[in-house]
Amino acid sequence: MDLLRICDTTLRDGEQAAGVAFTAEEKLEIAKSLAACGVEQAEAGIPAMGEEERETIRRIVSLGLPIRWIAWNRARRSDIDASLSADVDWAHIALPVSSIQMKAKLGAGPSEVMELGKAAAGYALEKGLDVSIGFEDASRADLSFLHELIDAFRREGIGRFRYADTLSVHHPGDLHARISELLAGCPPDIELEIHCHNDFGLATANTLAAIQAGAKWASTTVLGIGERAGNAPLEEVVMAWKHLYNGTCAVRTERMKPLAELVARAAGREISETRPLLGRLAFAHESGVHVDGLLKDRRTYQTFDPALLGMNHEILLGKHSGRSSVRQALLKEGFEVSEGIIPSLLKRLRQTAGERKQPVAGSELKQWAIEEQTQQR
């Protein structure tokens, strides 16, 4: 399976999430953590926002991290000049490509948008920047127009393009077919990046469908933060590509947990306990059947070792626990339990957990066991 390449946009699209505002120092720390994670390329921000943003981007670039930084631009010379002053070596130029957005945002038609994009791209190339072209609202654009744009920009020397499902209107089957059809008419040296939003909870699935169809790059954000319902989460895309598609990716999965915790703190958001892969309870088990199976062979209820994410299995003591859970919890507490008291401990555990509507700590279970054994003497 082909290599999955990541262009993370946590510092750009992620910060565009409602209520999120990273400080310059937080951006620097996130940048360091993205590089430590092995992310190949990332958007550092939008230089046209102002001098404060440009100064932060310059500080990020000056760190000399093993990651390529890209700046987001509109198709304007002034935006390109702002990117040049921010010291990045990649400029991403976004173009609205659906009839709705072309008319509403630019009051222009296809030919005018193409010329606008070519002028901005030519200027950026002339100034020594590497360029990628973004097709905003590509999912609602005419496919033949996308082909025309790719052909035109390729003649200008550009081979990297971003297909944005800006309003999350694709489902995986639809997107796979569309990307396949788009790439079927492209030379093999064209590199397509897929950028999905998560309005219907399909950003990860859509991203993977596009990669399977031939896109080379996945645009992601840590924890999926971003506009409206967010973007494709870095951790989900990477782990699914590796373990469900048997693909390869340079991202160091054991570094994703601290990266996610850093981004969550900076964004002022909690990582949900049951969040896939990185939530505290993502590898927690209470059911007696599950725990018994895991203790005998972890493959019964795991598709990969949580240690790959710096995580561990957690056995919770609750209403659905069984004998194996009680026995294992007491062993973990360093207590050799008499088999004869396990039924009464289990009954008390289930009753208490049901009344409290939360798990019981192993230390409390140990105290119960001590009391029971003392009474039997």
Side-chain angles (χ1 to χ4, degrees):
M1 189 67 76
D2 289 341
L3 172 69
L4 168 64
R5 306 176 77 177
I6 297 293
C7 181
D8 190 80
T9 184
T10 301
L11 293 175
R12 196 273 299 176
D13 209 341
E15 196 187 23
Q16 288 176 209
V20 173
F22 300 138
T23 66
E25 296 306 319
E26 286 168 341
K27 286 187 175 184
L28 288 167
E29 291 306 309
I30 292 171
K32 292 174 186 176
S33 194
L34 284 168
C37 236
V39 171
E40 184 172 349
Q41 189 175 62
E43 289 189 314
I46 307 174
M49 284 181 61
E51 179 54 33
E52 185 177 346
E53 178 84 346
R54 291 192 289 276
E55 174 58 23
T56 300
I57 294 173
R58 283 193 288 269
R59 290 178 64 190
I60 290 172
V61 174
S62 71
L63 293 172
L65 300 168
I67 186 172
R68 300 291 299 276
W69 296 108
I70 188 167
W72 189 95
N73 304 268
R74 295 162 297 184
R76 299 181 182 180
R77 280 198 174 204
S78 59
D79 278 30
I80 304 302
D81 287 335
S83 288
L84 286 166
S85 72
D87 295 340
V88 294
D89 52 13
W90 269 87
H92 178 76
I93 300 173
L95 288 175
V97 293
S98 68
S99 58
I100 294 172
Q101 287 213 2
M102 286 188 289
K103 181 178 180 180
K105 296 179 70 172
L106 300 177
S111 60
E112 295 166 292
V113 169
M114 182 182 291
E115 292 307 312
L116 188 67
K118 286 169 64 176
Y123 181 66
L125 290 169
E126 177 187 313
K127 294 295 184 178
L129 292 170
D130 289 317
V131 174
S132 70
I133 299 295
F135 299 146
E136 186 179 6
D137 203 18
S139 41
R140 296 192 296 175
D142 186 276
L143 204 60
S144 63
F145 180 46
L146 298 185
H147 277 297
E148 290 175 18
L149 287 169
I150 290 175
D151 289 341
F153 284 112
R154 185 172 180 271
R155 287 194 294 271
E156 300 293 320
I158 296 169
R160 174 89 170 270
F161 301 90
R162 176 182 293 170
Y163 183 107
D165 185 17
T166 306
L167 294 183
S168 189
V169 300
H170 280 313
H171 61 71
D174 178 36
L175 185 55
H176 186 283
R178 192 162 162 89
I179 294 299
S180 297
E181 186 176 352
L182 178 61
L183 290 174
C186 293
D189 60 336
I190 292 297
E191 293 187 354
L192 190 69
E193 177 183 333
I194 183 66
H195 178 92
C196 293
H197 282 264
N198 202 37
D199 299 64
F200 291 95
L202 293 173
T204 296
N206 280 335
T207 297
L208 294 166
I211 297 297
Q212 189 179 41
K216 301 296 183 185
W217 293 80
S219 176
T220 64
T221 62
V222 178
L223 295 172
I225 65 169
E227 290 274 3
R228 306 185 310 278
N231 297 54
L234 169 68
E235 62 280 3
E236 292 182 15
V237 171
V238 169
M239 292 301 286
W241 184 248
K242 286 187 171 186
H243 295 279
L244 301 182
Y245 291 78
N246 297 314
T248 58
C249 181
V251 170
R252 302 180 184 99
T253 58
E254 74 280 3
R255 301 288 187 91
M256 289 199 290
K257 179 69 170 177
L259 170 61
E261 291 171 339
L262 171 62
V263 170
R265 286 195 302 272
R269 297 188 174 187
E270 298 286 337
I271 298 178
S272 168
E273 287 188 332
T274 55
R275 183 174 184 86
L277 302 173
L278 298 180
R280 186 180 70 83
L281 300 180
F283 300 99
H285 299 267
E286 180 184 316
S287 166
V289 172
H290 283 212
V291 172
D292 185 61
L294 280 169
L295 293 175
K296 292 173 179 174
D297 186 337
R298 288 199 166 188
R299 292 173 300 176
T300 55
Y301 289 102
Q302 72 173 28
T303 54
F304 63 86
D305 187 346
L308 294 174
L309 287 166
M311 305 277 283
N312 291 300
H313 279 295
E314 183 179 359
I315 296 176
L316 300 180
L317 298 170
K319 181 180 177 180
H320 304 97
S321 294
R323 289 170 176 264
S324 295
S325 300
V326 171
R327 195 178 296 113
Q328 178 68 16
L330 289 173
L331 284 174
K332 190 175 180 180
E333 291 291 325
F335 188 82
E336 289 284 345
V337 66
S338 166
E339 287 294 317
I341 67 171
I342 287 183
S344 59
L345 287 175
L346 187 58
K347 181 179 180 181
R348 185 174 179 180
L349 167 63
R350 288 174 172 172
Q351 182 178 347
T352 302
E355 291 171 352
R356 294 178 182 173
K357 294 186 179 297
Q358 63 182 25
V360 172
S363 57
E364 185 173 8
L365 181 69
K366 176 183 177 181
Q367 186 58 43
W368 295 349
I370 293 171
E371 292 172 2
E372 295 249 357
Q373 291 202 164
T374 300
Q375 290 173 3
Q376 288 186 5
R377 287 174 185 161

